[in-house]
Amino acid sequence: MHFLQPAPDAMVLDCGCGGGANIKTLLKLCPKGTNAWTIPGTEDLKPYITAKNKQKKWLFGTVGMAVIAMVLAAMMTIFTH
């Protein structure tokens, strides 16, 4: 994310996909534009998200998606040659 140069008051939107590392970086880059909100009705669910579930989500989001992309790229290479 080193290529991003947002204004300090830029608004940041996180759609909830991934482990949260990118949003943490973005919020540090845009401290004045941070107006965090939660979708009404979901705030009660936060205590039920265990550390183990967060780890699984992070592992699949980083490693799993890279493996899927690699497999798809290999298949495209095989079928197009």
Side-chain angles (χ1 to χ4, degrees), residues 18 54-68:
K54 287 180 186 177
Q55 289 172 348
K56 286 180 188 177
K57 183 177 180 181
W58 177 85
L59 184 63
F60 180 74
T62 54
V63 178
M65 290 308 225
V67 170
I68 290 170

Side-chain angles (χ1 to χ4, degrees), residues 3 6 70:
F3 57 89
M70 184 178 63

Side-chain angles (χ1 to χ4, degrees), residues 2-81:
H2 62 279
F3 57 89
L4 292 177
Q5 297 177 350
D9 60 344
M11 298 295 286
V12 177
L13 171 66
D14 181 15
C15 295
C17 183
N22 290 334
I23 193 67
K24 287 179 186 176
T25 302
L26 284 172
L27 291 176
K28 288 178 185 175
L29 292 173
C30 308
K32 294 180 184 174
T34 303
N35 187 9
W37 57 274
T38 303
I39 297 171
T42 62
E43 53 278 317
D44 293 339
L45 299 174
K46 289 180 182 180
Y48 299 104
I49 302 172
T50 64
K52 187 174 181 178
N53 285 343
K54 287 180 186 177
Q55 289 172 348
K56 286 180 188 177
K57 183 177 180 181
W58 177 85
L59 184 63
F60 180 74
T62 54
V63 178
M65 290 308 225
V67 170
I68 290 170
M70 184 178 63
V71 169
L72 290 173
M75 289 173 57
M76 293 297 291
T77 302
I78 290 169
F79 291 121
T80 58
H81 284 79

